[in-house]
Amino acid sequence: MARTAAGTAKTPQDQAREAVVEAALGALGLEAKTRLLAGQDAWSLPALPEIGLRSLVMSDGPIGVRGALWTAEDPAVALPSPTALAAGWDPELARRAGALLAQEARRKGVHVLLAPTVNLHRSPLAGRHFEAYSEDPYLTGRIGTGYVRGVQSGGVGTTVKHFVANDAETDRFTVDNIVGERALRELYLAPFEAIVADARPWGVMTAYNRVNGTRMSEHGRLVNQVLRGEWGFDGVNVSDWTAARSTVAAVEGGLDIAMPGPVTVFGEALARAVREGEVEEATVDEAVRRVLRLAARVGVLEGAEPVVTEPPEQIHGEALSREIARRSFVLVRNENEVLPLPRTGTVALIGAAAREARALGGGSSTVYPARIVSPLDGLTAALPEGSLSYAVGADPDTELAVADRDFTLRAVCRDVAGKVIGTGAAPTGQIWWEDADLPEGVTRRGLHTVELAGTFTPRASGPHTFGVKGVGAFTLVVDGTTHYDGVHPSGAEDDPFEAIFAAPVAHARAELTEGRTVEVSLTHVVARPEGAPARAVGFALAHREPQRDPEELIAEAVAAARDADTAVVVVATTERVESEGFDRKNLRLPGRQDDLVRAVAAANPRTVVVVNSGSPVELPWRDRVAAVLLSWFPGQEGGAALADVLIGAHEPGGRLPTTWGPLQDAPVTQVVPSGGELAYGEGVFIGYRAWEQAGRTPTYPFGHGLGYTDWTYESIEAEGTTVTVRVRNSGRRAGREVVQLYLAPAEADAGRPARWLAGFAGVEAAPGESVEVVVELAPRAFEIWDESAGAWTRVKGAYEVAAGRSLADRRLTTTLTV
């Protein structure tokens, strides 16, 4: 059999597909070839009927498949955030998640998912870390491999992203990340390399940023030499949306697809560059060959058998989302075994975040599930009637939020004469329409205004605040009164997605009465500046309820806690704290939530705090409460999963995929560029590596997580690089343990981390049962990148192998020599 550059054998089916690809390529002229390398719209490539090629459709999909249309009219299963998936420390669970998303993709007519995100948690301030897995490259690679295998087992492609060093959001379109070659190889490229080797992804997505002076959509050394040459990657390279800026540099730098369309640096611009001698047609042919190979793999190229001819068995989306959530929850504190909750007794549930669940992070990964189970919903269903009380306590929303609950809205489209030319659904106050999303009968050329019109029924009397998010001309009318008629200027000329990520601006304060429905309307004049890179229509109606006295809300919560046997406080971040598009300013919980927890804990010693955030926050009250449970962004079934764990029907199965600690102690925090550059001056020392190097103790270490049973580590043996560990469930109930293996050089080396994760395995056991795990340590665990030699070098000598429950809780050690 033939082999790829990486040494992977090509099957007869692979070779048959390649023959069809070559025949199709040979039948195309220059214009057709270059047209295929450019999006025909926001989410798809053009069909070429002359070679039997149907249109290939892409979609965002880290936690759910949005589809080509971003609408609630076609709901999507919403899984827990990628940080939650990584907290499961289970590549098989990630594979099952990927298989479900492939099922969703097929249902929605999607051929390629723009996922997974395998950038690293370099700084805790990065705003999009909820969409990435971990601070550790090995764990990230294992979970990403599981995800890619799962998606592609369903016949759907993946694009592993964002290649590479897209580890923060500030100035993400222009920043030049200065990264040493050793750190680049050992940390940031490592997850991509592992996934290419172990899962053979069908695509990658190159990032917006530059690396060491070169834009990633043009980075021939990293794409052509490393990704394709050294690793043998044979898939497509698609740009991040609007990232491709140069026709010649991009195609010669290894970019295959420039998105979104229809106007990109490829297409006619690329054909012209070939005709004028700036680009060799053979370079274009290589890109087209890779695109056709992807089309053949997913089944849209006539005559080529797709990789998957029979999709896997159907997966129940709600059930899997619930399972992932409870297996991702990390119990970091449980004094006096306050959890699980006793079968009898009363519970005071406290926090606005308990009633209005935040299931997802903000940005392009957002999807619209058919339902979201809040903690209040979940516990109400799980606990005996009359045993649960609820108090708001404190609201994490300190700004206006996109209009959602209690609004009934519709989008009305008009032409320049004011004639209605179409209407569309508006399940929330957010509009983001690419050309394909426009309502039936509406075209960009004919569209002049979009009016979000409908009703609002307040749940509270008092002054309600309304506002606008977006750029351009707006008119805001509430209950018959025009409160705003003006223009929002652009605040960031280089950000085509400002309408999604900008903060809402307040424009109206209306005295409304609980239960009395009023009409609301926000009209936006659609205008696209000449040459603007994004063609979307985007804006939002925002709202905030009347604000009660915070002290009064906390007092009510304290009273409820005092009267209950157990108090459960749910705290959370918001879309204005964690989102794509911007980084964080601090790690504090927004609003008065910290004050709320302190007050409730003082009133009830059995206080459990559930932390609903996608990445670390500071927990200044942690030693005053009985239990702390991290729930991440738990997806649509989060409230049901939370009830499962709190009542003890299932144990919390998660372990920390990233270190939690106060910002003032975090060794690596810089996310703001200086002079357009962001220096990764810490080298290979990020995450737990940096905490150990600095001699600092975090709040909760990497790998930490408690269950509802106890584990005794009985023995460890190493034979060569094979490590065998025996553990016993020494508790009173069945459970699951994640056995973690850390390597440390026997002789300290200041240029290397003190220790690093080299392997892990999950085990399940009944009370009193002993089980054995066998882990083969990969060769790369003993190698470093030698910058002078430009190669991997095996560092020979003795290594301590420690097995334990976390980086800090190492139970057994042995020594091996390589």
Side-chain angles (χ1 to χ4, degrees), residues 458 460-466 509-514 544-547:
S461 298
H464 288 252
T465 306
F466 296 82
R509 189 176 174 87
E511 286 286 341
L512 303 178
T513 303
E514 177 185 354
R544 192 181 188 200
E545 290 187 336
Q547 297 303 291

Side-chain angles (χ1 to χ4, degrees), residues 708-731:
Y708 288 158
T709 190
D710 296 319
W711 295 88
T712 299
Y713 280 60
E714 296 184 327
S715 65
I716 182 171
E717 296 179 358
E719 183 174 342
T721 56
T722 301
V723 181
T724 303
V725 181
R726 178 168 289 277
V727 296
R728 179 168 52 86
N729 182 344
S730 50

Side-chain angles (χ1 to χ4, degrees), residues 365-580:
S365 64
T366 300
V367 294
Y368 297 111
R371 70 171 193 171
I372 293 178
V373 182
S374 71
L376 180 57
D377 296 333
L379 284 171
T380 298
L383 295 176
E385 186 174 353
S387 65
L388 181 70
S389 63
Y390 172 73
V392 172
D395 192 340
D397 283 314
T398 58
E399 303 179 17
L400 282 75
V402 171
D404 191 353
R405 59 182 186 270
D406 309 321
F407 285 83
T408 302
L409 300 170
R410 191 85 179 158
V412 181
C413 301
R414 294 182 173 87
D415 62 17
V416 70
K419 178 184 175 182
V420 175
I421 57 175
T423 61
T428 73
Q430 177 84 55
I431 292 291
W432 184 262
W433 291 339
E434 306 283 356
D435 282 357
D437 302 320
L438 293 172
E440 185 176 355
V442 179
T443 65
R444 282 285 300 185
R445 184 177 296 276
L447 180 62
H448 180 65
T449 64
V450 178
E451 180 188 14
L452 268 177
T455 61
F456 170 59
T457 305
R459 286 193 287 179
S461 298
H464 288 252
T465 306
F466 296 82
V468 177
K469 181 164 72 167
V471 176
F474 294 94
T475 303
L476 174 62
V477 180
V478 179
D479 199 18
T481 300
T482 300
H483 290 268
Y484 179 73
D485 189 1
V487 176
H488 277 203
S490 175
E493 294 182 3
D494 63 346
D495 188 348
F497 308 113
E498 183 182 3
I500 290 183
F501 304 127
V505 179
H507 287 302
R509 189 176 174 87
E511 286 286 341
L512 303 178
T513 303
E514 177 185 354
R516 186 179 76 84
T517 300
V518 299
E519 293 186 351
V520 294
S521 168
L522 175 63
T523 302
H524 173 50
V525 178
V526 177
R528 177 174 175 259
E530 197 66 34
R535 296 176 57 86
V537 177
F539 66 98
L541 171 66
H543 168 259
R544 192 181 188 200
E545 290 187 336
Q547 297 303 291
R548 291 181 56 194
D549 180 357
E551 296 297 337
E552 181 180 311
L553 289 175
I554 291 175
E556 290 178 358
V558 166
R562 190 175 289 123
D563 291 342
D565 295 313
T566 305
V568 176
V569 185
V570 182
V571 296
T573 61
T574 71
E575 195 172 85
R576 296 302 306 156
V577 174
E578 289 186 88
S579 174
E580 178 184 350

Side-chain angles (χ1 to χ4, degrees), residues 67-396:
L69 302 180
W70 203 354
T71 173
E73 293 182 320
D74 183 14
V77 173
L79 298 179
S81 64
T83 44
L85 191 60
W89 286 62
D90 186 348
E92 172 59 18
L93 187 64
R95 187 203 63 77
R96 292 170 58 204
L100 170 62
L101 294 179
Q103 175 181 298
E104 284 279 281
R106 293 193 306 272
R107 181 177 66 81
K108 287 173 173 276
V110 169
H111 307 111
V112 178
L113 290 186
L114 305 173
T117 301
V118 299
N119 300 114
L120 297 184
H121 295 190
R122 173 180 170 268
S123 164
L125 290 176
R128 199 179 181 181
H129 275 346
F130 61 86
E131 197 181 308
Y133 293 128
S134 170
E135 68 188 26
D136 182 77
Y138 176 76
L139 177 60
T140 295
R142 291 283 306 277
I143 301 302
T145 292
Y147 175 97
V148 169
R149 285 177 173 172
V151 173
Q152 294 185 175
S153 74
V156 175
T158 56
T159 58
V160 189
K161 66 182 187 182
H162 307 85
F163 189 79
V164 61
N166 183 180
D167 309 300
E169 295 294 284
T170 303
D171 296 344
R172 63 178 175 155
F173 299 105
T174 58
V175 64
D176 184 6
N177 293 325
I178 309 301
V179 192
E181 189 69 12
R182 183 176 172 192
L184 196 59
R185 294 282 188 157
E186 293 185 19
L187 296 179
Y188 304 103
L189 286 172
F192 292 94
E193 183 181 11
I195 294 169
V196 168
D198 297 334
R200 294 189 64 195
W202 299 343
V204 300
M205 178 189 289
T206 37
Y208 289 116
N209 54 278
R210 300 173 188 266
V211 170
N212 299 329
T214 303
R215 194 183 304 276
M216 278 311 306
S217 57
E218 305 165 5
H219 214 304
R221 186 180 76 81
L222 292 180
V223 173
N224 292 330
Q225 295 179 27
V226 177
L227 175 65
R228 290 185 173 132
E230 293 181 25
W231 303 349
F233 172 70
D234 69 352
V236 300
N237 170 14
V238 59
S239 73
D240 206 339
W241 265 225
T242 76
R245 307 294 174 85
S246 165
T247 299
V248 175
V251 74
E252 292 187 343
L255 186 68
D256 299 322
I257 302 172
M259 293 294 290
V263 180
T264 80
V265 298
F266 287 173
E268 175 53 34
L270 180 55
R272 185 168 57 251
V274 172
R275 288 193 296 266
E276 294 176 357
E278 296 178 293
V279 174
E280 295 288 337
E281 188 165 356
T283 303
V284 174
D285 287 349
E286 283 297 322
V288 174
R289 181 176 288 111
R290 289 186 285 264
V291 173
L292 291 174
R293 182 180 296 135
L294 173 62
R297 284 169 166 167
V298 301
V300 297
L301 180 60
E302 187 176 308
E305 183 177 88
V307 172
V308 177
T309 55
E310 292 292 331
E313 292 184 8
Q314 286 289 107
I315 301 169
H316 192 284
E318 290 180 359
L320 182 56
S321 182
R322 185 170 178 170
E323 179 186 349
I324 293 172
R326 64 184 179 235
R327 290 185 57 187
S328 75
F329 292 164
V330 182
L331 183 62
V332 294
R333 179 178 174 85
N334 191 20
E335 296 299 296
N336 301 317
E337 296 186 345
V338 68
L339 290 180
L341 297 174
R343 296 185 180 276
T344 59
T346 56
V347 175
L349 181 62
I350 296 166
R355 183 183 64 190
E356 311 297 343
R358 187 179 182 202
L360 314 169
S364 60
S365 64
T366 300
V367 294
Y368 297 111
R371 70 171 193 171
I372 293 178
V373 182
S374 71
L376 180 57
D377 296 333
L379 284 171
T380 298
L383 295 176
E385 186 174 353
S387 65
L388 181 70
S389 63
Y390 172 73
V392 172
D395 192 340

